[in-house]
Amino acid sequence: KTTGLALLEVTKNKAPAFVGDSIHCVVSVESSRETSKGGRGIVITNNDIINQKNDTVISYRAVRLMA
């Protein structure tokens, strides 16, 4: 079990999502590495939020500190 301690970076909204939209998120892990302090790591993911029309409404890269 891991806990996200901090969201360090978020970028890029592409289009609005509306009330009533059905959305899902496609997540791919770009990289992960341990920090110098034991028991923690940095995980970088690319995230695309896609609506029912298969349009990407939000696309962002997140850098998370995990423990």
Side-chain angles (χ1 to χ4, degrees), residues 12-60:
K12 292 195 184 177
N13 292 322
K14 291 190 168 194
F18 297 99
V19 172
D21 280 356
S22 294
I23 60 173
H24 67 277
C25 186
V26 176
V27 180
S28 60
V29 177
E30 181 180 315
S31 67
S32 63
R33 66 177 174 84
E34 291 185 26
T35 62
S36 58
K37 186 172 185 172
R40 295 186 181 186
I42 302 291
V43 178
I44 300 173
T45 59
N46 293 304
N47 307 271
D48 292 314
I49 309 225
I50 300 168
N51 68 11
Q52 71 278 4
K53 298 176 187 174
N54 210 33
D55 296 329
T56 301
V57 293
I58 300 171
S59 182
Y60 66 96

